[in-house]
Amino acid sequence: MRPSKRAPDEMRKVTLERGVARYAEGSCLVRFGETHVFCTASLEDRAPGWLRGQGRGWVTAEYSMLPRATAERTRREVNAGKPSGRTQEIQRLIGRSLRAVIDLPALGERQISIDCDVLQADGGTRTAAITGAWVALHDCIAWMRARSIINTHPLKDHVAAVSCGVVQGAPVLDLDYAEDSTAETDANFVLTGSGGIVEVQGTAEGKPFSDEELLELLRLARVGANGLVALQKQAVGQ
Amino acid sequence: MRPSKRAPDEMRKVTLERGVARYAEGSCLVRFGETHVFCTASLEDRAPGWLRGQGRGWVTAEYSMLPRATAERTRREVNAGKPSGRTQEIQRLIGRSLRAVIDLPALGERQISIDCDVLQADGGTRTAAITGAWVALHDCIAWMRARSIINTHPLKDHVAAVSCGVVQGAPVLDLDYAEDSTAETDANFVLTGSGGIVEVQGTAEGKPFSDEELLELLRLARVGANGLVALQKQAVGQ
Amino acid sequence: MRPSKRAPDEMRKVTLERGVARYAEGSCLVRFGETHVFCTASLEDRAPGWLRGQGRGWVTAEYSMLPRATAERTRREVNAGKPSGRTQEIQRLIGRSLRAVIDLPALGERQISIDCDVLQADGGTRTAAITGAWVALHDCIAWMRARSIINTHPLKDHVAAVSCGVVQGAPVLDLDYAEDSTAETDANFVLTGSGGIVEVQGTAEGKPFSDEELLELLRLARVGANGLVALQKQAVGQ
Amino acid sequence: MRPSKRAPDEMRKVTLERGVARYAEGSCLVRFGETHVFCTASLEDRAPGWLRGQGRGWVTAEYSMLPRATAERTRREVNAGKPSGRTQEIQRLIGRSLRAVIDLPALGERQISIDCDVLQADGGTRTAAITGAWVALHDCIAWMRARSIINTHPLKDHVAAVSCGVVQGAPVLDLDYAEDSTAETDANFVLTGSGGIVEVQGTAEGKPFSDEELLELLRLARVGANGLVALQKQAVGQ
Amino acid sequence: MRPSKRAPDEMRKVTLERGVARYAEGSCLVRFGETHVFCTASLEDRAPGWLRGQGRGWVTAEYSMLPRATAERTRREVNAGKPSGRTQEIQRLIGRSLRAVIDLPALGERQISIDCDVLQADGGTRTAAITGAWVALHDCIAWMRARSIINTHPLKDHVAAVSCGVVQGAPVLDLDYAEDSTAETDANFVLTGSGGIVEVQGTAEGKPFSDEELLELLRLARVGANGLVALQKQAVGQ
Amino acid sequence: MRPSKRAPDEMRKVTLERGVARYAEGSCLVRFGETHVFCTASLEDRAPGWLRGQGRGWVTAEYSMLPRATAERTRREVNAGKPSGRTQEIQRLIGRSLRAVIDLPALGERQISIDCDVLQADGGTRTAAITGAWVALHDCIAWMRARSIINTHPLKDHVAAVSCGVVQGAPVLDLDYAEDSTAETDANFVLTGSGGIVEVQGTAEGKPFSDEELLELLRLARVGANGLVALQKQAVGQ
């Protein structure tokens, strides 16, 4: 039995609330149970320096946690002078995941910056962030289309992410913090609406895992991602 | 006429929402119109190093803005490697303001860290932060009292803050961004529930101001602060 | 009785020594009693990047203390990797104070950098710095006029600063370190030659202060600032 | 046909040269074709601060590239003031991989620091680093056992890593730089001697990949890792 | 003919003014012509951490230039986040030079920090700094002896420094900035009162120099250093 | 008798291995006994920013030690956020030494970056680095000439470096770590093939040294440098 009484393939309650940031071109407050991430998409009317003159745009992401998102207060990274290794891994992952479903040349020489700020953390912040960031990105693009900044549809597919893991010997979907901190294996999957794999990151926290476990975690991830994509569609009114 | 149609001595709509952070000992989402600040109070069971062994506690504060709290996205300070001068000024002000109404020896050798994260900024973020931080601090102390960590009442008074300014020649209360960016004089006042002045910071942005203008701004500030203290009382159920 | 035997409205002995830096366009060694600040003004023949093409100039300031300006040696900020919050507050204040009395468009697209380095500190370093910086700025502008770099008079007024405070219940002018470290209220005032207020910063160190106390501190500040402006006039030979 | 004429499941020539660092407790120069990584293991006779008093040891890793390991010179990270996100990801991966096969309590309160410095880079530096680091770690432990610092066998298994990818539609093993820079999918696998999976990191660089592709990459990884483990055994004389 | 009309073996006018810093245990304002360095010695009643428990003291030095010490304003190093390579070289040199003439065990477990802040720079700042620092150190030790903190004479000898160089083919003593910036060879010598060499640093700025030139520069340095030591003796009243 | 049984004027075994870095335009692994330095020369087709438009090129150098080059592991400087003072001194010295023998205008507006990474350190790393760097620089220039990037011979002379010192009262050549750590005087000499002195850096570690000792160390340095230049000639096939 999971601490949250969920079935092995049951997600936490997920909500996607759009338009939470008055000034951003797109925004979404995503909740995976008690994990809450505030996502905004900001359009900048020029590409980053290293990309200038190539006729393409870029999507990048930054990630941060409020100090008291967690059970114990964590120190602000600005006071350490630099983002931690964990933060950098996560923001690179979010950026890669979104770029996998967007047509960068169709953006023109512009950049969309996604900011994912964790207001509350109960496990799975990076997967919630990716799932919510897609909605913010979608709305930013709708904003651009409404103003005829672009006339194409650069967003080619949905992208959503879930964590799965082996907890006390059993593969389960969408780990909360209680499960995450005791899991033997922890894996994050980023999947597209059409079922392609964008990213798999599986790590043995305790003992190494087998091919069969990896496949079962992938199966659970598909269950979760399908549900998330359905919620994204509902949120953006498709 | 003010851009927001308010009377010269009229605050924006203010709300104080308690208990917004699941893990913090105290928390408050404060809204001064479209300015929204997420405040948490975190109890740490020991005093900062430089205060050890003196039988006193400490209250400190940190302040940050989400990158897209503003009309234009602003760069995260972690990427500059350090908090800006403005951020440091504000967090020092918040800390001083709260310490003015708390009995530090009564806290024992403990520290309460206040985090003020601006989700949305339309002027007056520092004054909203101080006003909301008091509620978070109040609830943190109630949490400590409920658990018999302390048995005294270290919080001696309310503290609230407002900005006032001279805009197009007229003194007005609680500037929003449209007013703040064109004010000739900008002043922040931190006042206690019993009417004492904790901090006055008045700056001539354009031409210098007179004693009479300073006094009129102080009068407006008292109007605003009285209203804020009333809302604090209502919020914490006094 | 004050530790220095001064009357409540009596400044320390103030001297303004011009031309102390061989290479600077303007310079002044200002002494408020045992507080000594070495001020230089450096002309740079272009505006800062963010101001280019706007037909205006800029005045900025930096502040630092020699490690052994104080009773105990303090660590150099370069070894901490960044200016402290206190340093940033002070240098922002000096810059704002000087910009309040200068006609920036009349400077043309140039920047004047004011450096205030505290050789010895006995309280009131920021107010001494502002007072001496005005002289250095004045001489820098005279230097420019002598070379026909500008032909107008961009310096519109004097600016001078003093600290006042409530010490052992009594309002006093121009606190030295012994008073500053025990004051119940500490306030800095930046005033122009024509009597306008550029900046008021009053802080309750102990218990909150009243309107009456604020007004009395302001009155003392006017006494002090008038004397400082008279010394500035004498120093620059008006 | 691969640029290097290798069969799809063919590794580059791999060599493991032990004892390359005179002072280190263990060392290995690992070559995967033209990728050369200099690995050392350094024993420190106390655990890191956050682990003190828990009766366990730790294995950590750092990774760096010489500036001219690559076709174009890259800037030293020390001059940027911090390790890049990529460097941090890699050194965290190396550390996790080694900790998966070592019995930390059996180390006692000691730390082994693994340094992986890339002398030459032609793709696959992180996988070569893990593979060579295992040899350095093995020899460090042998050094400890020879001096009776420990009497147990804390190294429970081999660990080795390979990259696989989909290049021009075909799954291939052990990508060199020419393949890596054009791969549609890039995946790194860390596997143990007994066949368990320690880490899977698969990323779609171009279009998303399918379950079948993931499985084929895993199969190739097993071919490669088996070969690497055989070479490790030969190198350490088992 | 030298720009300053000096003879080849003629120093600039040198003055050593003691007691310039009210709070420091020792201080000296040294002037080599238009090069002015403000030196203080600060006693700290414990040795640096890495030296604790060894029964010895330490002398260390820091060096900095005010931004407008030079003809063009230079950026403060605190804004670059770290001391420059040049600054670090100089402060290491000053520290080594002073430690060469002090009996560290006789200091007890204490540290003396020498701060050398250049108020005005016209070449030879490091040599002036060493020469003035010796006076500050001397007075710090006298201060300690006067208070019976130590009863021995830890200062074993004088130390003074001069720069020499080959300018337009001619070896000259004590280069000012005009000479320093065009010298073919630049050499700094640190010599003791009894004639020993503490440090020689000779650098060919243009073409390499010969043994004969090195010897002639050393001869000039002895002329200069003898004069400086005589001035030190006069300054401290020996 | 020296710890290594060498005669006072005997170098350690020196080897210069060219072509060790596949991608660099020039490279050399230099060994002075157990001190091993990996040197590369990287051509960049433009001058550094501060030199643009002056028709000259530049040669610069960077220096680093692998963490376990030494008997005890040393912390990576990237984790301290900046190069140490020692590192900066050494890389400035290497750069100056190479620039002394190269015709910078003949390079055109290009930069050659020399990287010296110490794989193993047994004393004398900076002198080995300079000696090996000359070979890497030579080969980089040969590479440029072979491709007709330049047609002149910008390398005007050889440059090589050795350390000498007074150990237990006796002047000796080419100190290893055992000698270096106990030397009373330590001196580094950088000499050209034609016998000119590029740099002399002599430091009294214990008691000051005399003119006679300096001359004897210079004599030994010439013995060593002549041998090193002969090896350089042999290595590059002159």
Side-chain angles (χ1 to χ4, degrees):
Chain A
M1 179 59 101
R2 304 176 69 176
S4 57
K5 321 288 186 203
R6 286 183 283 149
D9 63 353
E10 186 182 348
M11 295 283 298
R12 289 174 284 183
K13 177 172 168 53
V14 174
T15 62
L16 297 164
E17 185 180 347
R18 291 162 75 196
V20 294
R22 182 181 180 83
Y23 304 113
E25 284 75 31
S27 64
C28 177
L29 174 55
V30 53
R31 292 187 185 86
F32 278 28
E34 295 293 344
T35 290
H36 303 170
V37 187
F38 194 90
C39 307
T40 58
S42 298
L43 175 65
E44 195 186 352
D45 201 27
R46 53 179 191 172
W50 55 271
L51 200 65
R52 300 266 164 80
Q54 300 189 24
R56 284 187 297 145
W58 194 245
V59 175
T60 187
E62 291 183 4
Y63 168 97
S64 184
M65 296 219 300
L66 294 205
R68 200 54 196 280
T70 44
E72 304 287 318
R73 184 178 186 273
T74 50
R75 189 186 178 208
R76 281 178 200 266
E77 296 192 340
V78 70
N79 294 327
K82 59 186 177 190
S84 70
R86 177 185 175 275
T87 289
Q88 292 194 54
E89 272 191 43
I90 293 175
Q91 56 197 17
R92 285 154 58 93
L93 173 64
I94 300 169
R96 279 200 308 273
S97 298
L98 296 171
R99 288 192 298 272
V101 293
I102 200 157
D103 180 1
L104 293 173
L107 275 186
E109 292 217 351
R110 296 182 185 89
Q111 175 162 284
I112 300 176
S113 294
I114 305 293
D115 287 290
C116 299
D117 287 86
V118 179
L119 302 185
Q120 197 169 287
D122 185 33
T125 61
R126 79 189 71 186
T127 56
I130 291 168
T131 305
W134 183 90
V135 176
L137 178 60
H138 172 277
D139 284 2
C140 179
I141 285 172
W143 187 95
M144 291 165 74
R145 287 179 45 82
R147 282 151 190 80
S148 297
I149 294 170
I150 53 173
N151 295 308
T152 53
H153 287 83
L155 202 52
K156 300 176 296 182
D157 201 346
H158 285 253
V159 73
V162 282
S163 74
C164 301
V166 180
V167 182
Q168 293 187 285
V172 292
L173 173 63
D174 186 30
L175 282 61
D176 56 28
Y177 180 75
E179 291 173 320
D180 192 40
S181 55
T182 60
E184 294 113 55
T185 296
D186 180 15
N188 292 297
F189 295 87
V190 183
L191 302 171
T192 65
S194 51
I197 307 173
V198 169
E199 187 104 13
V200 180
Q201 293 187 337
T203 301
E205 303 288 345
K207 68 176 180 55
F209 53 99
S210 65
D211 293 17
E212 292 68 37
E213 285 171 316
L214 178 61
L215 287 177
E216 175 59 11
L217 295 178
L218 176 53
R219 192 192 66 77
L220 287 171
R222 291 205 174 283
V223 172
N226 287 344
L228 293 171
V229 169
L231 285 169
Q232 287 175 338
K233 287 182 176 166
Q234 188 180 332
V236 302
Q238 289 174 342
Chain B
M1 179 60 101
R2 304 176 69 175
S4 57
K5 322 287 184 205
R6 284 183 283 148
D9 63 352
E10 186 183 349
M11 295 283 297
R12 290 174 283 183
K13 178 172 167 53
V14 174
T15 61
L16 296 164
E17 184 180 348
R18 291 161 76 197
V20 293
R22 182 182 180 84
Y23 304 113
E25 283 75 29
S27 64
C28 177
L29 174 55
V30 53
R31 292 186 184 86
F32 278 27
E34 294 294 343
T35 290
H36 303 170
V37 188
F38 193 92
C39 307
T40 58
S42 297
L43 175 65
E44 195 185 351
D45 202 26
R46 53 177 191 173
W50 54 270
L51 199 65
R52 300 264 165 82
Q54 300 189 23
R56 285 189 295 144
W58 194 245
V59 175
T60 188
E62 291 184 5
Y63 168 96
S64 184
M65 296 219 298
L66 294 204
R68 198 55 194 281
T70 45
E72 304 286 317
R73 184 178 186 273
T74 49
R75 188 185 179 209
R76 281 178 200 269
E77 297 192 340
V78 69
N79 294 327
K82 58 186 178 191
S84 69
R86 176 186 176 274
T87 290
Q88 291 193 55
E89 271 190 44
I90 294 174
Q91 55 198 17
R92 284 154 58 94
L93 173 63
I94 301 169
R96 277 200 309 273
S97 299
L98 296 171
R99 287 192 299 273
V101 293
I102 200 158
D103 179 3
L104 293 172
L107 275 186
E109 293 216 350
R110 298 182 182 88
Q111 175 162 282
I112 300 176
S113 294
I114 304 294
D115 287 288
C116 299
D117 287 86
V118 179
L119 303 185
Q120 198 168 285
D122 185 33
T125 61
R126 78 188 71 187
T127 55
I130 290 167
T131 306
W134 183 90
V135 176
L137 177 60
H138 171 277
D139 284 1
C140 178
I141 285 172
W143 186 94
M144 291 164 75
R145 286 178 46 81
R147 281 154 190 79
S148 297
I149 295 170
I150 51 174
N151 296 307
T152 54
H153 287 83
L155 202 53
K156 301 176 295 181
D157 201 346
H158 286 252
V159 74
V162 283
S163 72
C164 301
V166 180
V167 181
Q168 294 186 284
V172 292
L173 173 62
D174 186 29
L175 282 62
D176 57 26
Y177 180 74
E179 291 174 319
D180 191 39
S181 54
T182 60
E184 294 112 57
T185 296
D186 180 16
N188 292 298
F189 295 87
V190 183
L191 302 172
T192 64
S194 51
I197 307 174
V198 169
E199 187 107 11
V200 179
Q201 293 187 337
T203 301
E205 302 289 346
K207 68 176 179 55
F209 53 99
S210 64
D211 293 17
E212 292 67 36
E213 284 171 314
L214 179 61
L215 287 177
E216 173 60 10
L217 296 178
L218 175 55
R219 193 193 64 80
L220 287 172
R222 290 203 176 284
V223 172
N226 287 343
L228 292 171
V229 169
L231 286 169
Q232 287 176 338
K233 287 182 176 165
Q234 187 180 332
V236 303
Q238 289 174 340
Chain C
M1 179 60 101
R2 304 175 70 177
S4 57
K5 322 286 185 204
R6 285 183 283 149
D9 63 352
E10 185 183 349
M11 296 281 300
R12 290 174 284 183
K13 178 172 166 54
V14 174
T15 61
L16 296 165
E17 184 180 348
R18 291 161 75 197
V20 294
R22 181 181 180 84
Y23 304 114
E25 284 74 30
S27 64
C28 178
L29 174 55
V30 53
R31 291 187 184 87
F32 278 27
E34 295 294 343
T35 289
H36 304 171
V37 187
F38 194 91
C39 306
T40 57
S42 298
L43 174 66
E44 196 185 352
D45 201 27
R46 52 178 193 174
W50 54 269
L51 199 65
R52 300 264 163 82
Q54 300 189 26
R56 284 187 297 143
W58 194 245
V59 175
T60 188
E62 290 184 5
Y63 167 97
S64 185
M65 296 219 300
L66 295 204
R68 199 54 195 282
T70 44
E72 302 287 318
R73 184 178 187 272
T74 49
R75 190 186 178 208
R76 281 178 200 267
E77 297 192 339
V78 69
N79 295 327
K82 59 185 177 192
S84 70
R86 176 186 175 275
T87 290
Q88 293 194 53
E89 272 191 44
I90 294 175
Q91 55 197 17
R92 285 154 58 92
L93 172 63
I94 301 170
R96 278 200 310 273
S97 298
L98 296 172
R99 289 192 298 272
V101 293
I102 200 157
D103 180 2
L104 293 172
L107 275 186
E109 293 217 350
R110 296 183 184 88
Q111 174 162 284
I112 299 176
S113 294
I114 304 294
D115 287 289
C116 299
D117 286 86
V118 179
L119 303 185
Q120 197 168 287
D122 185 34
T125 62
R126 79 187 70 187
T127 55
I130 290 168
T131 305
W134 183 89
V135 176
L137 178 59
H138 171 277
D139 284 1
C140 179
I141 284 172
W143 187 95
M144 292 165 74
R145 286 178 45 82
R147 283 154 188 76
S148 297
I149 295 170
I150 51 174
N151 296 308
T152 53
H153 287 83
L155 201 54
K156 301 176 295 181
D157 200 347
H158 286 253
V159 73
V162 282
S163 74
C164 301
V166 180
V167 181
Q168 292 185 285
V172 291
L173 172 64
D174 187 30
L175 282 61
D176 57 27
Y177 180 74
E179 291 174 317
D180 191 40
S181 55
T182 60
E184 293 112 56
T185 296
D186 180 15
N188 292 299
F189 295 87
V190 183
L191 302 172
T192 64
S194 51
I197 307 173
V198 170
E199 187 104 13
V200 180
Q201 293 188 339
T203 301
E205 302 289 345
K207 68 177 180 53
F209 52 99
S210 65
D211 292 17
E212 292 67 36
E213 285 170 316
L214 178 60
L215 287 176
E216 174 59 10
L217 295 178
L218 175 55
R219 192 192 65 78
L220 287 173
R222 290 204 176 283
V223 172
N226 287 344
L228 293 171
V229 169
L231 286 170
Q232 286 176 338
K233 285 183 178 167
Q234 186 180 334
V236 303
Q238 289 172 343
Chain D
M1 178 62 99
R2 304 174 70 176
S4 57
K5 321 288 183 203
R6 285 183 283 148
D9 64 351
E10 186 184 348
M11 295 282 298
R12 289 173 286 182
K13 178 172 166 53
V14 173
T15 62
L16 296 164
E17 185 180 347
R18 292 161 74 196
V20 293
R22 182 182 180 84
Y23 304 113
E25 283 75 31
S27 65
C28 177
L29 173 57
V30 54
R31 293 187 185 86
F32 277 27
E34 295 293 343
T35 290
H36 303 169
V37 187
F38 194 91
C39 307
T40 58
S42 297
L43 174 66
E44 195 185 353
D45 202 26
R46 52 179 193 174
W50 55 270
L51 198 65
R52 301 264 163 84
Q54 301 189 24
R56 284 188 296 144
W58 194 246
V59 175
T60 187
E62 291 184 5
Y63 168 96
S64 184
M65 296 219 299
L66 295 205
R68 199 54 196 280
T70 45
E72 303 287 319
R73 184 177 185 274
T74 49
R75 188 185 179 209
R76 280 178 200 267
E77 297 192 340
V78 70
N79 294 328
K82 59 186 177 190
S84 71
R86 175 184 176 275
T87 290
Q88 292 194 55
E89 271 191 46
I90 293 176
Q91 55 197 17
R92 284 155 58 93
L93 172 63
I94 300 170
R96 278 200 308 273
S97 298
L98 296 171
R99 288 192 298 271
V101 293
I102 200 157
D103 180 1
L104 293 173
L107 275 186
E109 293 216 351
R110 297 183 183 89
Q111 175 163 284
I112 300 175
S113 294
I114 304 293
D115 288 288
C116 300
D117 287 85
V118 179
L119 302 185
Q120 197 169 286
D122 185 34
T125 62
R126 80 188 71 187
T127 55
I130 292 167
T131 306
W134 183 90
V135 176
L137 178 60
H138 172 278
D139 284 1
C140 178
I141 285 172
W143 186 94
M144 292 165 75
R145 287 177 46 81
R147 282 152 189 80
S148 297
I149 294 170
I150 52 173
N151 296 307
T152 55
H153 287 83
L155 202 53
K156 301 176 295 182
D157 201 346
H158 286 251
V159 73
V162 282
S163 74
C164 302
V166 180
V167 181
Q168 293 186 286
V172 292
L173 173 63
D174 187 29
L175 282 61
D176 56 28
Y177 180 74
E179 291 174 319
D180 191 39
S181 55
T182 60
E184 293 113 55
T185 296
D186 180 16
N188 292 297
F189 296 87
V190 183
L191 302 172
T192 65
S194 51
I197 307 174
V198 169
E199 187 104 13
V200 180
Q201 293 187 338
T203 300
E205 302 288 346
K207 69 177 180 53
F209 52 99
S210 64
D211 292 18
E212 292 68 35
E213 285 171 315
L214 178 60
L215 288 176
E216 174 58 11
L217 295 177
L218 177 54
R219 192 193 65 77
L220 286 171
R222 291 203 174 284
V223 172
N226 287 344
L228 292 171
V229 169
L231 285 169
Q232 287 175 339
K233 287 182 175 165
Q234 188 180 332
V236 303
Q238 290 173 342
Chain E
M1 179 62 100
R2 304 175 71 176
S4 58
K5 321 288 186 205
R6 285 183 283 149
D9 62 352
E10 186 183 348
M11 296 282 298
R12 290 174 283 183
K13 178 171 166 53
V14 174
T15 61
L16 296 165
E17 185 179 348
R18 292 161 75 197
V20 293
R22 182 181 180 83
Y23 304 113
E25 284 75 30
S27 64
C28 179
L29 174 56
V30 53
R31 293 187 183 88
F32 278 27
E34 294 294 343
T35 290
H36 304 172
V37 187
F38 194 91
C39 306
T40 58
S42 298
L43 174 66
E44 197 184 351
D45 202 27
R46 53 178 192 173
W50 54 270
L51 198 65
R52 300 264 164 81
Q54 300 189 24
R56 284 189 295 144
W58 194 245
V59 175
T60 187
E62 291 184 5
Y63 168 97
S64 185
M65 295 218 300
L66 295 205
R68 198 55 194 281
T70 44
E72 304 287 318
R73 183 178 186 272
T74 50
R75 189 185 178 209
R76 280 177 200 268
E77 297 193 339
V78 68
N79 295 327
K82 60 185 176 192
S84 69
R86 177 185 174 276
T87 290
Q88 292 194 53
E89 272 190 45
I90 293 175
Q91 57 197 16
R92 285 153 58 93
L93 172 63
I94 300 170
R96 278 201 308 273
S97 299
L98 296 171
R99 289 192 299 272
V101 293
I102 201 159
D103 179 3
L104 294 172
L107 275 186
E109 293 217 350
R110 298 182 182 88
Q111 174 162 285
I112 300 176
S113 294
I114 304 294
D115 286 288
C116 299
D117 286 86
V118 179
L119 303 185
Q120 196 168 287
D122 184 35
T125 61
R126 79 187 70 186
T127 55
I130 290 167
T131 305
W134 184 89
V135 176
L137 178 59
H138 172 276
D139 284 0
C140 178
I141 284 172
W143 187 95
M144 293 165 74
R145 287 177 45 82
R147 282 153 190 77
S148 296
I149 295 170
I150 51 174
N151 296 307
T152 53
H153 287 83
L155 201 54
K156 301 175 295 180
D157 201 345
H158 285 253
V159 73
V162 283
S163 74
C164 302
V166 180
V167 181
Q168 292 185 285
V172 292
L173 173 63
D174 187 29
L175 281 61
D176 56 27
Y177 181 74
E179 292 173 318
D180 191 40
S181 55
T182 60
E184 293 113 56
T185 296
D186 180 15
N188 292 298
F189 295 87
V190 183
L191 302 172
T192 64
S194 52
I197 307 174
V198 169
E199 187 104 13
V200 180
Q201 292 188 338
T203 301
E205 301 290 345
K207 69 178 178 52
F209 52 99
S210 64
D211 293 17
E212 291 69 34
E213 284 171 316
L214 177 61
L215 287 177
E216 174 59 12
L217 295 178
L218 176 53
R219 192 192 66 78
L220 288 172
R222 290 203 176 283
V223 172
N226 287 344
L228 293 171
V229 169
L231 286 169
Q232 287 175 338
K233 286 182 177 166
Q234 187 180 334
V236 303
Q238 290 174 342
Chain F
M1 180 60 101
R2 305 175 70 177
S4 57
K5 322 286 184 204
R6 285 184 282 148
D9 63 352
E10 186 182 349
M11 295 283 298
R12 289 174 285 182
K13 179 173 166 53
V14 175
T15 62
L16 296 165
E17 185 180 348
R18 291 161 74 197
V20 293
R22 182 183 179 84
Y23 304 114
E25 284 75 30
S27 64
C28 177
L29 174 55
V30 53
R31 292 186 184 86
F32 278 27
E34 294 295 344
T35 289
H36 304 170
V37 188
F38 194 91
C39 307
T40 58
S42 297
L43 175 65
E44 196 185 351
D45 202 27
R46 53 178 191 173
W50 54 270
L51 199 64
R52 298 265 164 82
Q54 300 189 24
R56 285 188 297 145
W58 194 244
V59 175
T60 188
E62 290 184 5
Y63 168 96
S64 184
M65 297 218 298
L66 295 204
R68 200 54 196 282
T70 44
E72 303 287 317
R73 185 179 185 272
T74 50
R75 191 185 177 208
R76 281 178 200 268
E77 296 193 340
V78 70
N79 294 327
K82 59 185 177 191
S84 70
R86 178 185 174 274
T87 289
Q88 292 194 54
E89 272 190 43
I90 294 175
Q91 55 198 16
R92 285 155 57 93
L93 172 63
I94 300 170
R96 278 200 309 273
S97 298
L98 296 171
R99 288 193 298 272
V101 292
I102 200 158
D103 180 2
L104 293 172
L107 274 186
E109 292 217 350
R110 296 182 185 89
Q111 175 162 283
I112 300 176
S113 294
I114 304 293
D115 287 289
C116 299
D117 287 87
V118 179
L119 303 185
Q120 198 168 287
D122 185 34
T125 61
R126 79 187 70 185
T127 55
I130 291 168
T131 306
W134 183 89
V135 176
L137 178 61
H138 171 278
D139 284 1
C140 178
I141 284 172
W143 186 94
M144 292 165 74
R145 287 178 46 81
R147 282 154 189 77
S148 298
I149 295 171
I150 51 174
N151 295 309
T152 54
H153 286 83
L155 202 53
K156 300 177 296 181
D157 200 347
H158 286 254
V159 73
V162 282
S163 74
C164 302
V166 179
V167 181
Q168 294 186 285
V172 292
L173 173 63
D174 187 30
L175 281 61
D176 56 27
Y177 180 75
E179 291 174 320
D180 191 40
S181 56
T182 61
E184 293 114 56
T185 297
D186 180 15
N188 291 298
F189 295 87
V190 183
L191 302 172
T192 64
S194 51
I197 307 173
V198 168
E199 186 106 12
V200 180
Q201 293 187 338
T203 300
E205 302 288 345
K207 69 176 179 58
F209 52 99
S210 64
D211 293 18
E212 292 67 39
E213 283 170 318
L214 179 61
L215 287 177
E216 174 59 11
L217 295 178
L218 175 55
R219 193 192 65 78
L220 287 172
R222 291 204 175 283
V223 172
N226 288 343
L228 292 171
V229 169
L231 285 169
Q232 287 176 338
K233 287 183 176 165
Q234 188 180 333
V236 303
Q238 291 173 341

